[in-house]
Amino acid sequence: MRKEVGKRRSTNGDVSSSSQDPQPSKVGHSSVPQPRSGAQRASGKLYEEEEDDALPDSDALPDSDDEVELDKPRPIQIVLAHEDDHNFELDEAALEKILLQEHIKDLNIVVVSVAGAFRKGKSFLLDFMLRYMYNRTSPCWIGGNTEPLTGFTWRGGCERETTGIQIWSEVFVIDKPNGTKVAVLLMDTQGAFDSQSTIKDCATVFALSTMTSSVQVYNLSQNIQEDDLQHLQLFTEYGRLAMEEIYQKPFQTLMFLIRDWSYPYEHAYGLEGGRKFLEKRLQVKQNQHEELQNVRKHIHSCFSNLGCFLLPHPGLKVATNPNFDGRLNDIDEDFKNELRNLVPLLLAPENLVEKEISGSKVTCRDLVEYFKAYIKIYQGEELPHPKSMLQATAEANNLAAVAGAKDLYSKGMEQVCGGDKPYIAPSDLERKHQDFRESAIRQFRSVKKMGGEEFCRRYQEQLEVEIDEIYANFVKHNDGKNIFYAARTPATLFAVMFAMYIISGLTGFLGMNSIAALCNLVLGMALISFCTWAYVKYSGEFREVGTAIDQIAEAIWEQVLKPMSDNLMEDHMRQSVKNSIKAGLTEQVSHHARLKTD
């Protein structure tokens, strides 16, 4: 086992080595293999030569996941990010393999997560947490001056390194001062606001890590700006939406970690200076704008415990050296001193915060189920999609323009056929509808809107659809004022009863009793329908029944009575025209005959 110290297969399958420092990290008396950082892979031939001598070719290494995971602790990706469709997938097998181990599955769990913008040193910080967990009994847990930093993969530069959510494959079992054992899990998250992630991606990762962690470290650079608080509000609200309705604060501890703090003369480095700074930043003042007050109230309502730690800049060598691999002799002394205070503050046995959901402690086994439930929610369409500030403002701007245009149309139509206006001919009503519709669309187009022409066109189409729906309601309202339209149902039923009475009498007289009985049955049903309809209109009760009778009567009118009446009218008109023509011809013939006689 000791011969393998410093060697590991990295998360992407590369073989890594910490050849500069032969001393292994320890837990008790056991050696722990340490992965190499991404910066070490860029450090040149020195590593390549040592790897060639010390390690077999990567193709010759065992492919067994069990051997890799059990023998060589490493970061394991449990939430996979699919860039093509911007969806996330939970690797249930990997999560269960880590958290359902026999010796930890029933222990209460402590989850420490680091989240924030990309390229701000989250994985770098987590690797110092790993050093503490492997060497927590040693006063020199921070490591030797020439020891490269290993663990979660990290590197310098401007491109993102971590995607999705990763956890360390080894869960640490810690004895708390009260004698209970807890399992400690370290979690690394995809950085927010990189060039490949949408607002929904960022919100999902941050919300998911906050929902499943007991301590969320919010990693910020140089200061707490207002947009940092607004993003925190958006992300936590997205997480709270996914959780079941609860009547207490949904999340536990949030630690603002301000990196590269440049104002120690105002607020000193460390926890106490951070506490005073955070109180000032999150203070709700009477003269503040309502929007600023709401952000601060929201943050206070979401977390049971808020803290802040001010961390100095690690030094120019860290920021500018492309070959920096985490050695302490390249890091400023102030940074190392504050790091010695920060990490135990989060991970010392007396400071560990056990994960709770709705007031109940969560075990490793429980956390697996919560992960499965939460990821299903974010994979579905139940939650609204978070949007960028521009998109949200453009939507609100266009929706306001749609509402104003609809109001203009509705007011115009109310003047024409509103509640107290008399019945208007359908052709006139349609003409007015077209005029007001064009006016509403002109008003919508005249309003200054954000989002561009194509974005606004969708809302214009929405406006046109909604205006047509409003017009359909006005048509029904206008038809209701037509006394003949209102009397259509009783007239139709009366016509059916009269027709059935005549047919029943004739067929009975001719001895066709079965047809007469059927006509009498229809007559009775029409009479009952008429009485029921009259009661509904009088009392206002059983309106569904009255609507059904109206629909049946309308169908009879449209399909039977109206065509018959149209045919009769047409025949009558045709006969009248024929008679008129005949009368005219007869008159002309008589006139000519008289002329000839004369």
Side-chain angles (χ1 to χ4, degrees), residues 80-336:
L80 312 174
H82 298 302
E83 293 182 2
D84 52 347
D85 59 357
H86 294 280
N87 260 326
F88 292 90
E89 177 187 356
L90 179 67
D91 189 341
E92 295 183 12
L95 184 64
E96 290 173 353
K97 190 163 191 109
I98 294 170
L99 293 183
L100 297 186
Q101 297 177 66
E102 196 62 37
H103 69 291
I104 63 167
K105 64 181 181 181
D106 293 319
L107 294 179
N108 292 340
I109 192 167
V110 175
V111 184
V112 178
S113 169
V114 182
F118 81 116
R119 308 310 302 148
K120 300 298 182 185
K122 298 185 295 299
S123 303
F124 179 76
L125 174 68
L126 277 161
D127 287 344
F128 280 107
M129 294 185 187
L130 281 175
R131 279 193 179 177
Y132 178 82
M133 296 307 295
Y134 282 121
N135 302 281
R136 60 188 176 276
T137 57
S138 169
C140 300
W141 61 265
I142 201 168
N145 284 333
T146 59
E147 182 181 351
L149 187 62
T150 58
F152 289 94
T153 56
W154 61 274
R155 61 177 175 82
C158 61
E159 297 299 327
R160 72 178 185 180
E161 178 70 10
T162 307
T163 60
I165 294 179
Q166 297 180 354
I167 59 175
W168 192 246
S169 63
E170 182 172 350
V171 181
F172 303 95
V173 178
I174 306 296
D175 292 313
K176 294 188 72 174
N178 61 8
T180 60
K181 290 182 182 292
V182 294
V184 178
L185 183 69
L186 298 183
M187 181 187 294
D188 192 12
T189 64
Q190 172 179 320
F193 313 120
D194 62 77
S195 61
Q196 301 172 57
S197 301
T198 64
I199 291 292
K200 180 178 183 292
D201 296 340
C202 300
T204 300
V205 170
F206 194 102
L208 194 56
S209 63
T210 305
M211 293 159 68
T212 53
S213 63
S214 52
V215 177
Q216 177 71 292
V217 179
Y218 189 19
N219 193 66
L220 299 172
S221 177
Q222 299 183 342
N223 211 330
I224 299 178
Q225 300 183 151
E226 194 60 34
D227 62 329
D228 296 324
L229 297 180
Q230 289 173 355
H231 287 134
L232 179 62
Q233 180 190 29
L234 171 65
F235 297 163
T236 51
E237 182 62 22
Y238 199 51
R240 186 156 65 173
L241 278 176
M243 302 180 78
E244 294 182 2
E245 187 173 352
I246 50 179
Y247 301 97
Q248 55 188 346
K249 296 181 179 182
F251 311 121
Q252 289 175 265
T253 298
L254 177 69
M255 172 67 76
F256 288 87
L257 178 61
I258 314 301
R259 309 287 287 269
D260 308 341
W261 178 249
S262 303
Y263 316 105
Y265 48 86
E266 291 185 354
H267 298 283
Y269 298 133
L271 185 64
E272 185 58 27
R275 181 186 64 79
K276 294 178 180 178
F277 173 68
L278 187 64
E279 284 181 0
K280 187 175 179 181
R281 271 288 182 271
L282 296 185
Q283 184 179 5
V284 178
K285 300 176 184 176
Q286 195 67 31
N287 59 347
Q288 269 179 328
H289 190 278
E290 183 182 0
E291 176 184 318
L292 303 179
Q293 291 186 9
N294 289 339
V295 169
R296 286 152 178 78
K297 290 176 182 177
H298 175 90
I299 293 170
H300 281 293
S301 71
C302 280
F303 293 93
S304 302
N305 193 14
L306 292 170
C308 181
F309 196 96
L310 305 179
L311 200 60
H313 195 284
L316 282 178
K317 288 184 179 180
V318 175
T320 60
N321 184 2
N323 296 323
F324 173 70
D325 58 5
R327 297 166 192 262
L328 291 178
N329 57 8
D330 292 333
I331 300 176
D332 283 2
E333 200 61 38
D334 283 346
F335 184 88
K336 290 185 284 189

Side-chain angles (χ1 to χ4, degrees), residues 3 31 40 77 93 104 115 139 164 171 204 221 300 349 381 441 446 469 472 535 568:
K3 291 179 181 179
S31 300
Q40 288 173 268
Q77 190 153 8
I104 63 167
V171 181
T204 300
S221 177
H300 281 293
E381 294 296 326
I441 292 172
S446 67
E469 291 174 355
Y535 176 77
L568 288 173

